[in-house]
């Protein structure tokens, strides 16, 4: 007997998790399936973490609409879900007078999109706000509604809140195809079992083209991966206080220099279209491009302080905007296709997809209501996902009280980021259990400092094995096939 749900969401990135959370508000059964060992392992885990103001997308596009609607939703969202979010504004910086018209054009575009709180600053004003800026700065667009967040926390918090409100999340569960009755989709086949559903929602990011083609929708729509490489800097050595964009080019928003909610400076991303949808490597050329781009904004940035490189893959679609007269080929798809009912289809959700995620979730619910779905609000829906203790952010007094309650919070496992055993254990037993090293890392920020996990990894492996009741040889970095250990050699003192 196949289990039946009202809604099945395919893909547990920030968009799928947000949709699951939005649907959890209503009297309905919801299943979220994710092919990886954790949620948020795709595009949502490797991006610039900026909540964009909305001056960048093409006016009239669905991207612009979702960005500008999504941005103001973040204050309430961060308050309810308890993730790190700072609305500190952002700058688009003109280096030299010749770049000023480009910045002014962006401001005009922002006004057309309905972005509030933008002003032009002159060179002296920018220099006063960012001491490390290129002295040749001629001015900047200052967008006060720009923000930064921890995108891992956002995805986890949204999905956890969904689970707290009754959503079922299945990890390591890959969508393989649809179960149909005549032309009607009645469920999904997965690598584990089949599930029946009244509605299926395609939120599969990089593979959303594959999902929609299996539903018989938009055979011409294809997703290409556009890789973005990054440098991460040690916050002890260099700290930039702001989010600094260069003027955009035909390749996109350009190489920015930004701070993160954890205080690290990050440089990136590049924008290289590649054939392999899984190739998140970094390249010599990409890193050189980053170095050149960063120096344009912050000439004093010294690459010797870089502690990590990584890359993320944008799911770049080829869907034209619906606005007449606009020749723009990379808009979002958010629709219930006319010829395939009971299927909500999303595609091409590249940047600003993180910013837009709550607005996309809201739009999905609106589409369902417009399609006649009787969504009745639960009386006991709880929007709050409580925060878990973060040792590094606490005062001495708070730390002392916590350690008295549970001495495992007094045992520091990650020395760079001050993450304790108590925090790791709390994540293993959270509403969506963190069962891999990377899942712990994404949730606690452990392993992201100067030693890049060199000290904490063996200890985390032991803690995971103990808490999950498995052998250390079964503990993985990011799921099956990424085990750390082959065989026991000697007893490790814990
Ligand atoms: C380099 C870069 C920089 C960016 N910077 C920003 C930024 O600063 N601000 C911003 O707003 N946006 C930014 N973005 C965009 C943003 O990260 C994405 O738009 C957003 O994360 C998309 O979320 P998603 O849930 O649609 O996709 P994903 O996070 O990729 O989630 C899709 C999920 O579906 C799963 N899946 C796929 N196929 C299957 C299957 N068959 N069965 C089950 N599960 C499946 C995947 O494993 C994945 O977890 C950036 C993106 C990149 C790559």
């Amino acid at each position: 007997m196949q289990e039946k749900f009202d809604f099945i969401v395919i893909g547990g990135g920030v968009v799928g998790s947000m949709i699951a959370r939005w649907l959890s508000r209503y009297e309905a059964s919801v299943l979220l399936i994710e092919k990886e060992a954790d949620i948020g392992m795709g595009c949502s885990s490797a991006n610039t973490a900026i909540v964009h103001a909305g001056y960048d997308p093409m006016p009239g596009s669905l991207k612009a609409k979702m960005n500008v609607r999504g941005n103001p939703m973040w204050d309430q969202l961060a308050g309810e879900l308890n993730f790190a979010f700072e609305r500190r504004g952002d700058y688009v910086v003109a280096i030299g007078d010749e770049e000023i018209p480009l910045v002014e054009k962006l401001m005009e575009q922002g006004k057309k999109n309905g972005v509030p709180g933008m002003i032009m600053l002159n060179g002296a004003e920018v220099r006063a706000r960012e001491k490390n800026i290129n002295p040749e700065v001629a001015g900047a667009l200052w967008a006060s509604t720009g923000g930064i967040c921890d995108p891992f926390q956002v995805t986890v918090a949204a999905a956890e809140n969904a689970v707290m409100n009754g959503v079922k999340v299945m990890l390591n569960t890959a969508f393989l195809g649809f179960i149909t009755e005549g032309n009607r989709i009645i469920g999904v086949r997965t690598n584990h079992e089949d599930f029946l559903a009244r509605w299926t929602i395609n939120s599969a990011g990089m593979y959303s083209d594959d999902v929609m083609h299996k539903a018989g929708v938009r055979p011409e729509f294809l997703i290409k991966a556009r890789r973005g490489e990054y440098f991460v800097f040690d916050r002890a050595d260099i700290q930039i206080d702001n989010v600094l964009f260069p003027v955009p080019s035909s390749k996109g928003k350009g190489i920015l220099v930004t701070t993160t909610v954890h205080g690290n400076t990050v440089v990136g991303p590049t924008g290289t279209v590649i054939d392999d949808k899984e190739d998140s490597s970094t390249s010599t050329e990409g890193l050189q491009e980053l170095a050149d781009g960063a120096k344009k904004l912050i000439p004093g940035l010294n690459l010797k302080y870089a502690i990590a490189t990584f890359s993320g893959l944008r799911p770049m679609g080829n869907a034209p905007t619906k606005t007449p007269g606009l020749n723009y080929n990379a808009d979002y798809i958010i629709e219930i296709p006319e010829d395939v009912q009971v299927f909500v289809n999303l595609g091409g959700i590249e940047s600003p997809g993180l910013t837009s995620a709550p607005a996309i979730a809201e739009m999905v619910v609106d589409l369902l209501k417009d399609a006649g779905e009787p969504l009745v609000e639960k009386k006991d829906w709880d929007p709050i996902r409580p925060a878990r203790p973060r040792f590094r952010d606490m005062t001495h007094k708070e730390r002392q009280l916590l350690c008295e309650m549970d001495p495992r919070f007094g045992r520091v496992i990650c020395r760079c980021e001050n993450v304790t055993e108590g925090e790791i254990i709390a994540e293993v037993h959270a509403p969506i259990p963190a069962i891999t090293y990377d899942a712990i890392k994404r949730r606690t920020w452990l392993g992201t400092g100067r030693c890049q996990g060199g000290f904490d990894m063996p200890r985390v492996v032991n803690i995971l094995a103990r808490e999950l009741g498995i052998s250390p040889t079964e503990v993985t970095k990011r799921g099956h096939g990424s085990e750390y250990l082959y065989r026991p050699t000697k007893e490790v003192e814990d």
Side-chain angles (χ1 to χ4, degrees):
M1 181 72 176
Q2 292 143 333
E3 205 174 345
K4 183 162 185 177
F5 295 88
D6 291 309
F7 301 99
I8 292 182
V9 181
I10 304 169
V14 69
V15 174
S17 299
M18 215 56 91
I19 292 170
R21 193 242 181 186
W22 243 254
L23 288 173
S24 75
R25 191 184 193 114
Y26 302 98
E27 297 286 355
S29 53
V30 183
L31 170 67
L32 171 69
I33 57 170
E34 167 53 54
K35 70 179 169 64
E36 303 294 340
D38 191 15
I39 50 161
M41 283 176 66
C43 190
S44 303
S45 72
N47 54 57
T48 323
I50 292 172
V51 174
H52 289 290
Y55 48 75
D56 196 64
M58 184 78 77
S61 63
L62 196 48
K63 253 185 196 174
K65 190 174 162 197
M66 291 296 103
N67 187 157
V68 175
R69 169 66 191 137
N71 177 294
M73 297 169 88
W74 278 73
D75 305 271
Q76 184 178 345
L77 205 58
E80 290 176 347
L81 297 180
N82 281 294
F83 57 76
F85 169 62
E86 296 171 22
R87 197 179 282 287
R88 51 167 70 205
D90 63 51
Y91 298 82
V92 184
V93 181
I95 304 295
D97 288 335
E98 62 281 8
E99 288 190 350
I100 290 285
L102 292 168
V103 176
E104 286 171 344
K105 196 170 155 213
L106 216 50
M107 176 130 167
E108 282 312 304
Q109 190 161 289
K111 282 183 187 160
K112 280 189 195 148
N113 286 346
V115 178
M118 295 181 298
I119 53 168
M120 283 296 291
L121 301 175
N122 64 33
E125 286 167 326
V126 183
R127 281 189 290 275
R129 290 177 181 213
E130 177 55 68
K131 59 183 183 305
N132 298 298
I133 198 83
N134 186 337
E136 288 174 34
V137 59
L141 163 63
W142 157 245
S144 61
T145 57
I148 52 175
C149 68
D150 178 332
F152 314 113
Q153 281 182 17
V154 174
T155 307
V156 168
E160 279 191 359
N161 187 239
V163 169
M164 289 166 53
N165 284 294
V167 171
K168 182 170 179 176
V169 172
M170 290 186 69
L171 302 173
N172 291 309
T173 304
F175 162 87
L176 299 180
F178 289 102
I179 308 168
T180 52
E181 210 170 67
N183 283 336
R184 197 176 174 85
I185 292 173
I186 58 162
V188 298
R189 287 186 298 106
T190 78
N191 54 337
H192 293 308
E193 52 194 305
D194 296 348
F195 299 102
L196 298 178
R198 291 200 307 108
W199 285 89
T200 311
I201 299 166
N202 173 14
S203 181
M206 195 62 83
Y207 296 96
S208 55
D209 52 352
D210 182 45
V211 173
M212 69 179 87
H213 296 165
K214 282 184 171 141
V217 173
R218 292 182 180 258
E220 76 295 344
F221 178 76
L222 289 176
I223 287 185
K224 281 242 166 206
R226 197 157 66 92
R227 189 169 58 200
E229 299 176 42
Y230 292 88
F231 271 123
V232 183
F233 288 82
D234 188 354
R235 63 169 173 255
D237 290 313
I238 182 144
Q239 230 171 348
I240 303 297
D241 294 329
N242 292 294
V243 179
L244 305 167
F245 287 93
V247 292
S249 72
S250 59
K251 285 180 83 178
K253 298 185 196 83
I255 310 292
L256 62 142
V257 180
T258 176
T259 185
T260 69
V261 289
H262 302 286
N264 298 87
T265 293
V266 169
V267 170
T270 52
T272 316
V273 179
I274 55 171
D275 291 328
D276 183 350
K277 286 184 171 185
E278 296 290 325
D279 182 4
S280 58
S281 57
T282 52
S283 64
T284 313
E285 308 78 49
L287 298 181
Q288 186 56 52
E289 192 183 331
L290 293 181
D292 297 341
K295 288 228 148 87
K296 184 180 169 198
L297 293 174
I298 309 285
L301 198 66
N302 192 334
L303 286 183
K304 79 176 181 188
Y305 298 127
I307 54 171
T309 59
F310 71 94
S311 80
L313 302 171
R314 305 170 181 90
M316 187 180 76
N318 60 354
T321 177
K322 285 185 179 156
T323 304
L326 274 183
N327 179 19
Y328 179 56
N329 278 332
D331 208 359
Y332 291 165
I333 295 171
I334 307 169
E335 64 183 6
I336 296 176
E338 269 174 31
D339 39 353
V340 185
Q341 295 293 309
V342 299
F343 177 61
V344 182
N345 187 34
L346 272 56
I349 312 293
E350 56 173 335
S351 186
L354 173 65
T355 312
S356 306
I360 294 173
E362 181 185 67
M363 183 171 168
V364 166
V365 167
D366 287 345
L367 285 174
L368 289 167
K369 285 180 179 167
D370 290 348
E373 185 61 24
L375 288 171
V376 178
E377 288 200 19
K378 285 177 185 160
K379 290 199 173 61
D380 58 351
W381 184 67
D382 184 357
I384 307 297
R385 177 261 192 186
R388 289 190 277 277
R390 287 287 167 251
F391 187 79
R392 99 179 134 254
D393 300 331
M394 292 176 162
T395 62
H396 283 310
K397 188 73 199 156
E398 288 169 336
R399 287 175 176 180
Q400 192 187 343
L401 286 172
L402 189 63
C403 294
E404 281 167 11
M405 269 169 23
D406 185 342
R408 294 173 301 183
F409 283 96
R411 192 159 171 239
V412 174
I413 301 295
C414 170
R415 293 185 227 167
C416 302
E417 298 298 323
N418 257 331
V419 180
T420 65
E421 182 174 10
E423 290 164 85
I424 297 167
I425 292 170
E427 297 303 338
V428 177
H429 301 292
I432 297 181
I435 56 170
T436 65
Y437 176 84
D438 280 358
I440 300 281
K441 178 177 175 176
R442 275 192 290 274
R443 286 159 176 77
T444 63
W445 212 233
L446 142 165
T448 61
R450 196 177 285 197
C451 87
Q452 290 289 298
F455 283 105
D456 65 69
M457 188 273 282
R459 290 178 174 80
V460 176
V461 168
N462 268 341
I463 294 168
L464 274 170
R466 187 189 70 212
E467 295 298 316
L468 296 171
I470 59 177
S471 156
T473 56
E474 294 174 274
V475 174
T476 67
K477 177 169 164 52
R478 47 178 292 129
H480 183 63
S482 62
E483 289 76 11
Y484 286 101
L485 306 166
Y486 290 100
R487 61 185 168 80
T489 50
K490 60 180 179 183
E491 285 296 310
V492 181
E493 205 175 306
D494 197 16

